[in-house]
Amino acid sequence: MEQEADTNTIRLAKATKNRDMPVVVTTAVQFFESLYACRSSQCRKLHNIAGSVVIFDEAQMLPIPYLRPCVWAVSQVTARYNVSAVLCTATQPALEPVFREFLPSCSI
């Protein structure tokens, strides 16, 4: 029983580094740091993201100057890689106009 728990713990620990699960929970900041990184160790987290549901926690933490590039990136992964994006925040920013600009045919 202990061996099985250790195997499961190891598998889950690897999943947090590789994001190769069907549902990915991450902070918006951490996701975009990986997406826009120029180091393979950070970019590697994204190689299996296609077809996943990505839940962005703390979406309100996106800095205003980076808001449009981040929304564009979300629109690209949803349109091209079949990713479903869920933004979780206590204070939802008014992103619908920006999403409409980048993904006019998608339901928000």
Side-chain angles (χ1 to χ4, degrees):
M1 184 75 168
E2 188 174 311
Q3 176 68 20
E4 185 177 312
D6 288 341
T7 304
N8 193 41
T9 303
I10 291 168
R11 184 181 68 81
L12 291 175
K14 286 181 181 178
T16 63
K17 294 180 181 174
N18 292 328
R19 295 187 183 149
D20 59 354
M21 300 300 266
V23 176
V24 177
V25 179
T26 182
T27 64
V29 172
Q30 192 173 63
F31 179 83
F32 294 114
E33 282 179 351
S34 296
L35 188 66
Y36 288 111
C38 62
R39 291 188 3 226
S40 62
S41 61
Q42 288 178 301
C43 295
R44 190 176 307 123
K45 292 179 181 181
L46 302 172
H47 78 284
N48 283 328
I49 203 161
S52 297
V53 175
V54 179
I55 301 173
F56 296 95
D57 192 21
E58 301 177 9
Q60 79 278 4
M61 297 302 292
L62 292 172
I64 297 298
Y66 303 123
L67 195 57
R68 290 181 60 78
C70 290
V71 171
W72 178 84
V74 170
S75 72
Q76 294 303 299
V77 296
T78 57
R80 297 175 187 267
Y81 299 102
N82 196 32
V83 169
S84 296
V86 179
L87 302 175
C88 297
T89 176
T91 55
Q92 182 69 36
L95 299 177
E96 188 170 345
V98 183
F99 274 111
R100 291 262 176 249
E101 177 183 345
F102 294 126
L103 283 170
S105 62
C106 273
S107 63
I108 297 177

